Amino acid sequence: MQLPDRISRPAGKPQLQVVPPSAPEPASDLSPLAHATLLAGVLAIASLIRLGFMLSGDFPLNDGGMFFQMVRDLQAHHYALPQTTTYNAAGIPFSYPPLGFYATALVNDTLPVSLLTAFRVVPFAATMLVLCAFMLFARSWCATRLEALVAMFAFALLPRTYLWLLMGGGITRAFGLFFAILALYFIRLLYLRQRLIFAAPAGVFAALTVLSHLEMAWCVVFTAALFFAAFGRHRAGLVGSVLIAVATVVLTAPWWGTVLAYHGPAPLLNAGHASGPLVLDRVIALLYLKFTGEALFPVLASLALLGCVASIARRQYLLPVWLALTLTLDLRALGTFSTLPFALLISHAVVGTLVPAVRGVARAPRALIPAVSIIVGCYAFIAAMVAAPHLLRAMTPAEQSAMAWVAGNTAPQSRVLVVANEAWAADKTSEWLPALTQRVSVATPQGAEWLPGNVFTDRVEAYRALQKCANGTGDCLETWERKFSLPFDYVYIPKTSSSLDAMPVDEHECCAGLRAALRSDPRYQVVFDGDGATIYRRAS
């Protein structure tokens, strides 16, 4: 199936008509055998990258502490949705889409693996399913097998296709992206082929997206609207869209009906107000080629930008518009969901622009294209292997021992202040402490987006203010407590820092300034000092 990409207005009844670009000559395409062989190689490379990160430790990567506790709550309620989660003793409504929780709980209950192991295995398996879904999507979108293979290779190596999906929290994000891609695949088939039979699987996968991740569901909504405007403005498209919407509402009713019965619409509305970076910040990130998460020179982001420029020059606007919509409308999952148009734009840049340009150069060596492709591919692979080590890092045994000390040596009602010099979304210590110790982490923002009012915004502000004390003194902590009215009994300082923006005095040790200051402060007493953390008890 050719890529419907440019919209024009023919004679006759005014309507939107999709005009595909000219397809490459058949001789330039891959044979089925070559395509299958190279595709197997791409999947092998992608699995090695993801498996390497998963096996880097014996603990879930980065986040997932709140979801870990919610899975335990679900198991304790015999798979009936609880009214609230016990996480951090905050009375957080159990309003998060639960499909990933159910899947992980079933893995833990039916297979001989611990729940912590399930939080490593399930995200990995789900990321591999995402690759399979995109492979199907790209083959239906691209005009040739070569173009689809390049898109698949780009997608597999884009760090944002696994950074936030491999983490413990990936039990929701990865499933959400997997079902979102499949929903868009069938929605597009419905609009292009004008056959209502595709509305059934589209509705099922749209519902599964909602039950996995609300942000991914929103991405499906605005992308489907774009597809409808591009090539779905006909009777089958309109009727099919209504059927998909009805099916989604009906199939997800057991979940949202339970949430409404428990809490009314407030938690869902509160979560919708918790936004991410401003649009201007996203534009700046796009211009600086930071969206893809590449640690080295952003070669894939550069190719995507080239593909975007080339598409606009050819008056093929669909992919650039899709990327622009994602930039504008996706509030929180921007870097992840945008990998879909990014990968397709990279494919257009390589197959539609660079390869023809090289072939058009007089006396260009025939081996130039394969040689450059191998070099760029190896570079992208190396970049993927070293991408964002500060995010894909598991809690060490020493850090787990420090958590175990808190669980076994502090009163159940203790309130712990974690100073990790981290960006809150990357602070695994603050998120996992309530789940592993059953103690309150007073500054942890996770879960507050479901609470009423401006609790989430206030908690994020308090968290960021607290991290400024990382190289301060005990007076900084006392001032912070008075300002935000968040009392605490213990101060927990991890020994290592892996933050997005942290700048510790010692690059191998977090918060050296605060740790030294509290040692000589009579208001604080060292009660634990191990390789994973230093813990201080506050004098009463």
Side-chain angles (χ1 to χ4, degrees), residues 6-39:
R6 180 162 59 88
I7 301 172
S8 65
R9 189 177 301 277
K13 183 178 179 180
Q15 60 179 355
L16 287 176
Q17 181 180 358
V18 180
V19 178
S22 58
E25 297 178 0
S28 67
D29 200 8
L30 297 172
S31 67
L33 178 60
H35 176 259
T37 303
L38 292 172
L39 184 60

CSV table of all heavy atoms in Angstrom, one decimal, residues 6-39:
chain,number,residue,atom,x,y,z
A,6,ARG,N,-0.2,13.5,0.4
A,6,ARG,CA,-0.5,14.9,0.0
A,6,ARG,C,-1.9,15.1,-0.3
A,6,ARG,O,-2.6,14.2,-0.9
A,6,ARG,CB,0.4,15.2,-1.3
A,6,ARG,CG,0.2,16.6,-1.8
A,6,ARG,CD,1.3,17.0,-2.7
A,6,ARG,NE,1.4,16.2,-3.9
A,6,ARG,CZ,0.7,16.3,-5.0
A,6,ARG,NH1,-0.1,17.3,-5.1
A,6,ARG,NH2,0.9,15.5,-6.0
A,7,ILE,N,-2.5,16.2,0.2
A,7,ILE,CA,-3.9,16.4,0.0
A,7,ILE,C,-4.1,17.4,-1.1
A,7,ILE,O,-3.5,18.5,-1.1
A,7,ILE,CB,-4.5,17.0,1.3
A,7,ILE,CG1,-4.3,16.0,2.4
A,7,ILE,CG2,-6.0,17.3,1.1
A,7,ILE,CD1,-4.7,16.5,3.8
A,8,SER,N,-5.0,17.1,-2.1
A,8,SER,CA,-5.3,18.0,-3.2
A,8,SER,C,-6.8,18.1,-3.4
A,8,SER,O,-7.5,17.2,-2.9
A,8,SER,CB,-4.6,17.6,-4.5
A,8,SER,OG,-5.1,16.4,-4.9
A,9,ARG,N,-7.2,19.0,-4.2
A,9,ARG,CA,-8.7,19.2,-4.4
A,9,ARG,C,-8.9,19.0,-5.9
A,9,ARG,O,-8.6,19.8,-6.7
A,9,ARG,CB,-9.1,20.6,-4.0
A,9,ARG,CG,-10.6,20.8,-4.0
A,9,ARG,CD,-11.0,22.1,-3.5
A,9,ARG,NE,-10.5,22.3,-2.1
A,9,ARG,CZ,-11.2,21.9,-1.1
A,9,ARG,NH1,-12.3,21.2,-1.2
A,9,ARG,NH2,-10.7,22.2,0.1
A,10,PRO,N,-9.6,17.8,-6.3
A,10,PRO,CA,-9.8,17.6,-7.7
A,10,PRO,C,-11.1,18.3,-8.2
A,10,PRO,O,-11.8,18.9,-7.4
A,10,PRO,CB,-10.1,16.1,-7.7
A,10,PRO,CG,-10.7,15.8,-6.4
A,10,PRO,CD,-10.0,16.8,-5.4
A,11,ALA,N,-11.3,18.2,-9.5
A,11,ALA,CA,-12.5,18.8,-10.1
A,11,ALA,C,-13.7,18.1,-9.6
A,11,ALA,O,-13.6,16.9,-9.2
A,11,ALA,CB,-12.4,18.8,-11.6
A,12,GLY,N,-14.8,18.7,-9.7
A,12,GLY,CA,-16.1,18.0,-9.2
A,12,GLY,C,-16.4,18.4,-7.8
A,12,GLY,O,-16.1,19.5,-7.4
A,13,LYS,N,-17.1,17.5,-7.1
A,13,LYS,CA,-17.5,17.8,-5.8
A,13,LYS,C,-16.3,18.0,-4.9
A,13,LYS,O,-15.4,17.2,-4.8
A,13,LYS,CB,-18.3,16.6,-5.3
A,13,LYS,CG,-18.9,16.8,-3.9
A,13,LYS,CD,-19.7,15.6,-3.4
A,13,LYS,CE,-20.3,15.9,-2.0
A,13,LYS,NZ,-21.1,14.7,-1.6
A,14,PRO,N,-16.3,19.2,-4.2
A,14,PRO,CA,-15.2,19.5,-3.3
A,14,PRO,C,-15.0,18.4,-2.2
A,14,PRO,O,-16.0,18.1,-1.5
A,14,PRO,CB,-15.5,20.9,-2.7
A,14,PRO,CG,-16.5,21.4,-3.7
A,14,PRO,CD,-17.3,20.3,-4.2
A,15,GLN,N,-13.8,17.9,-2.0
A,15,GLN,CA,-13.6,16.9,-1.0
A,15,GLN,C,-12.1,16.8,-0.8
A,15,GLN,O,-11.3,17.3,-1.7
A,15,GLN,CB,-14.1,15.6,-1.3
A,15,GLN,CG,-13.6,14.9,-2.5
A,15,GLN,CD,-14.2,13.6,-2.8
A,15,GLN,OE1,-14.9,13.0,-2.0
A,15,GLN,NE2,-13.9,13.0,-3.9
A,16,LEU,N,-11.6,16.2,0.3
A,16,LEU,CA,-10.2,16.0,0.5
A,16,LEU,C,-9.8,14.7,-0.2
A,16,LEU,O,-10.5,13.7,0.0
A,16,LEU,CB,-9.9,15.9,2.0
A,16,LEU,CG,-10.0,17.1,2.8
A,16,LEU,CD1,-9.7,16.9,4.2
A,16,LEU,CD2,-9.0,18.1,2.3
A,17,GLN,N,-8.8,14.8,-1.1
A,17,GLN,CA,-8.4,13.6,-1.8
A,17,GLN,C,-6.9,13.4,-1.5
A,17,GLN,O,-6.1,14.4,-1.5
A,17,GLN,CB,-8.6,13.7,-3.3
A,17,GLN,CG,-8.1,12.5,-4.0
A,17,GLN,CD,-8.3,12.6,-5.5
A,17,GLN,OE1,-8.9,13.6,-6.0
A,17,GLN,NE2,-7.9,11.6,-6.3
A,18,VAL,N,-6.5,12.2,-1.2
A,18,VAL,CA,-5.1,11.9,-0.9
A,18,VAL,C,-4.4,11.4,-2.1
A,18,VAL,O,-4.9,10.6,-2.9
A,18,VAL,CB,-5.1,10.7,0.1
A,18,VAL,CG1,-3.7,10.4,0.5
A,18,VAL,CG2,-5.9,11.2,1.4
A,19,VAL,N,-3.3,12.1,-2.4
A,19,VAL,CA,-2.5,11.7,-3.6
A,19,VAL,C,-1.2,11.1,-3.1
A,19,VAL,O,-0.4,11.8,-2.4
A,19,VAL,CB,-2.2,13.0,-4.4
A,19,VAL,CG1,-1.3,12.6,-5.6
A,19,VAL,CG2,-3.5,13.6,-4.9
A,20,PRO,N,-0.9,9.9,-3.4
A,20,PRO,CA,0.4,9.2,-3.0
A,20,PRO,C,1.5,9.7,-3.8
A,20,PRO,O,1.4,10.1,-4.9
A,20,PRO,CB,0.1,7.7,-3.3
A,20,PRO,CG,-0.8,7.7,-4.4
A,20,PRO,CD,-1.7,8.9,-4.2
A,21,PRO,N,2.7,9.7,-3.2
A,21,PRO,CA,3.9,10.1,-4.0
A,21,PRO,C,4.2,9.0,-5.0
A,21,PRO,O,3.8,7.9,-4.9
A,21,PRO,CB,5.0,10.2,-2.9
A,21,PRO,CG,4.6,9.3,-1.8
A,21,PRO,CD,3.1,9.3,-1.8
A,22,SER,N,5.1,9.4,-6.0
A,22,SER,CA,5.4,8.4,-6.9
A,22,SER,C,6.3,7.3,-6.3
A,22,SER,O,7.2,7.6,-5.5
A,22,SER,CB,6.3,9.0,-8.0
A,22,SER,OG,7.4,9.7,-7.5
A,23,ALA,N,6.0,6.0,-6.6
A,23,ALA,CA,6.7,4.9,-6.0
A,23,ALA,C,8.0,4.7,-6.6
A,23,ALA,O,8.2,4.9,-7.8
A,23,ALA,CB,5.8,3.6,-6.1
A,24,PRO,N,9.0,4.2,-5.9
A,24,PRO,CA,10.3,3.9,-6.5
A,24,PRO,C,10.1,2.8,-7.5
A,24,PRO,O,9.2,2.0,-7.5
A,24,PRO,CB,11.1,3.5,-5.3
A,24,PRO,CG,10.4,4.0,-4.1
A,24,PRO,CD,9.0,4.0,-4.4
A,25,GLU,N,11.1,2.7,-8.4
A,25,GLU,CA,11.1,1.7,-9.4
A,25,GLU,C,11.2,0.3,-8.7
A,25,GLU,O,11.9,0.2,-7.7
A,25,GLU,CB,12.3,1.8,-10.3
A,25,GLU,CG,12.2,3.1,-11.2
A,25,GLU,CD,13.4,3.3,-12.1
A,25,GLU,OE1,14.3,2.4,-12.0
A,25,GLU,OE2,13.5,4.3,-12.8
A,26,PRO,N,10.5,-0.7,-9.2
A,26,PRO,CA,10.6,-2.0,-8.5
A,26,PRO,C,12.0,-2.5,-8.3
A,26,PRO,O,12.3,-3.2,-7.4
A,26,PRO,CB,9.8,-2.9,-9.5
A,26,PRO,CG,8.9,-2.0,-10.2
A,26,PRO,CD,9.6,-0.7,-10.4
A,27,ALA,N,12.9,-2.2,-9.3
A,27,ALA,CA,14.3,-2.7,-9.1
A,27,ALA,C,15.0,-2.2,-7.9
A,27,ALA,O,15.9,-2.7,-7.4
A,27,ALA,CB,15.1,-2.4,-10.4
A,28,SER,N,14.5,-1.0,-7.4
A,28,SER,CA,15.2,-0.4,-6.2
A,28,SER,C,14.7,-1.0,-4.9
A,28,SER,O,15.2,-0.7,-3.9
A,28,SER,CB,14.9,1.1,-6.2
A,28,SER,OG,13.5,1.4,-6.0
A,29,ASP,N,13.7,-1.9,-5.0
A,29,ASP,CA,13.1,-2.4,-3.8
A,29,ASP,C,13.8,-3.7,-3.4
A,29,ASP,O,14.5,-4.3,-4.2
A,29,ASP,CB,11.6,-2.7,-4.0
A,29,ASP,CG,10.9,-2.8,-2.6
A,29,ASP,OD1,11.5,-2.5,-1.6
A,29,ASP,OD2,9.7,-3.2,-2.6
A,30,LEU,N,13.6,-4.1,-2.1
A,30,LEU,CA,14.2,-5.3,-1.6
A,30,LEU,C,13.4,-6.5,-2.1
A,30,LEU,O,12.1,-6.4,-2.2
A,30,LEU,CB,14.3,-5.3,-0.1
A,30,LEU,CG,15.2,-4.2,0.5
A,30,LEU,CD1,15.0,-4.2,2.0
A,30,LEU,CD2,16.7,-4.5,0.2
A,31,SER,N,14.0,-7.7,-2.2
A,31,SER,CA,13.3,-8.9,-2.5
A,31,SER,C,12.6,-9.3,-1.2
A,31,SER,O,13.1,-8.9,-0.1
A,31,SER,CB,14.2,-10.0,-3.0
A,31,SER,OG,15.1,-10.4,-2.0
A,32,PRO,N,11.6,-10.1,-1.2
A,32,PRO,CA,11.0,-10.6,0.0
A,32,PRO,C,12.0,-11.3,0.9
A,32,PRO,O,11.9,-11.1,2.2
A,32,PRO,CB,9.9,-11.6,-0.5
A,32,PRO,CG,9.5,-11.0,-1.8
A,32,PRO,CD,10.8,-10.5,-2.4
A,33,LEU,N,12.9,-12.1,0.4
A,33,LEU,CA,13.8,-12.8,1.2
A,33,LEU,C,14.8,-11.9,1.8
A,33,LEU,O,15.1,-12.0,3.0
A,33,LEU,CB,14.6,-13.8,0.3
A,33,LEU,CG,15.7,-14.6,1.1
A,33,LEU,CD1,15.1,-15.4,2.2
A,33,LEU,CD2,16.4,-15.6,0.1
A,34,ALA,N,15.3,-10.9,1.1
A,34,ALA,CA,16.2,-9.9,1.6
A,34,ALA,C,15.5,-9.1,2.7
A,34,ALA,O,16.1,-8.8,3.8
A,34,ALA,CB,16.8,-9.0,0.6
A,35,HIS,N,14.3,-8.7,2.5
A,35,HIS,CA,13.6,-7.9,3.5
A,35,HIS,C,13.4,-8.7,4.8
A,35,HIS,O,13.6,-8.2,5.9
A,35,HIS,CB,12.2,-7.5,2.9
A,35,HIS,CG,11.3,-6.8,3.9
A,35,HIS,ND1,10.3,-7.5,4.5
A,35,HIS,CD2,11.3,-5.5,4.3
A,35,HIS,CE1,9.7,-6.6,5.3
A,35,HIS,NE2,10.3,-5.4,5.2
A,36,ALA,N,13.0,-10.0,4.6
A,36,ALA,CA,12.8,-10.8,5.8
A,36,ALA,C,14.1,-11.0,6.6
A,36,ALA,O,14.1,-11.0,7.8
A,36,ALA,CB,12.2,-12.2,5.4
A,37,THR,N,15.2,-11.2,5.9
A,37,THR,CA,16.5,-11.5,6.5
A,37,THR,C,16.9,-10.2,7.3
A,37,THR,O,17.4,-10.3,8.4
A,37,THR,CB,17.5,-11.9,5.5
A,37,THR,OG1,17.1,-13.0,4.8
A,37,THR,CG2,18.9,-12.1,6.2
A,38,LEU,N,16.9,-9.1,6.6
A,38,LEU,CA,17.3,-7.8,7.2
A,38,LEU,C,16.4,-7.4,8.4
A,38,LEU,O,16.8,-6.9,9.4
A,38,LEU,CB,17.3,-6.7,6.2
A,38,LEU,CG,18.4,-6.8,5.1
A,38,LEU,CD1,18.2,-5.8,4.0
A,38,LEU,CD2,19.8,-6.7,5.7
A,39,LEU,N,15.1,-7.7,8.2
A,39,LEU,CA,14.1,-7.4,9.3
A,39,LEU,C,14.4,-8.2,10.5
A,39,LEU,O,14.4,-7.7,11.7
A,39,LEU,CB,12.7,-7.6,8.8
A,39,LEU,CG,11.6,-7.3,9.8
A,39,LEU,CD1,11.7,-5.8,10.2
A,39,LEU,CD2,10.2,-7.6,9.2
